[in-house]
Amino acid sequence: MLGIHGIRQKPELDRPYFGHIFSEEDKKNLLETGNMGRVVELKGRNGEYIPSFISIDKLTNEVVAMKAENAFIPREIKGVELTEQEQNDLREGKKVYVEGMIAKSGNEFNAFIQVNAERRGVEFIFETD
């Protein structure tokens, strides 16, 4: 189904989002990385609360959510086996620093990985100078 989405100047973080009120730390994380960095309970259509990840769509600046149960957490990423603790941290929405990953070009690289609701999976977050 085709959906039209307007491009926002900035994300609307001062209004409640499905019953969740963003804290100052939530806003800071969303604006810096595009991900909130934790799982929150969002109010569903039937009034039940659903554990969810929240991110910002980088193209439209829309706030996007994904049920935590739908997140695929890989056991291995770019040739590096993730520990049980790293997988659990990802399930909780935290950033995990992974060293020694191998790019398609064959070069080794290091980066943070984190679940992104907009991309519906794990994304790479590179340190910037």
Side-chain angles (χ1 to χ4, degrees), residues 12-129:
E12 292 183 5
L13 302 177
D14 293 324
R15 295 179 18 191
Y17 183 74
F18 291 97
H20 177 73
I21 298 171
F22 296 105
S23 69
E24 290 305 313
E25 184 176 347
D26 292 342
K27 293 176 189 178
K28 178 179 174 273
N29 289 340
L30 283 164
L31 294 173
E32 285 180 2
T33 67
N35 304 310
M36 198 158 71
R38 66 188 182 105
V39 174
V40 294
E41 300 279 327
L42 297 181
K43 192 172 189 176
R45 292 185 181 150
N46 299 331
E48 79 280 8
Y49 284 88
I50 303 163
S52 304
F53 293 102
I54 296 178
S55 298
I56 301 289
D57 183 316
K58 290 175 176 64
L59 295 175
T60 64
N61 279 328
E62 270 190 305
V63 178
V64 179
M66 175 182 73
K67 291 180 183 178
E69 67 185 31
N70 293 341
F72 173 71
I73 308 297
R75 292 175 57 181
E76 179 185 308
I77 190 157
K78 298 290 186 183
V80 175
E81 187 83 21
L82 297 177
T83 67
E84 190 80 24
Q85 182 61 49
E86 290 169 331
Q87 291 175 351
N88 289 335
D89 286 349
L90 288 170
R91 280 186 195 93
E92 293 173 9
K94 298 176 184 174
K95 284 193 305 189
V96 174
Y97 190 71
V98 180
E99 296 179 332
M101 292 181 282
I102 307 296
K104 288 181 183 176
S105 64
N107 296 330
E108 190 174 295
F109 71 100
N110 307 326
F112 284 99
I113 58 173
Q114 187 173 32
V115 174
N116 181 296
E118 188 268 324
R119 299 185 78 209
R120 303 278 186 236
V122 175
E123 75 169 344
F124 298 101
I125 301 172
F126 296 96
E127 294 180 325
T128 56
D129 295 335

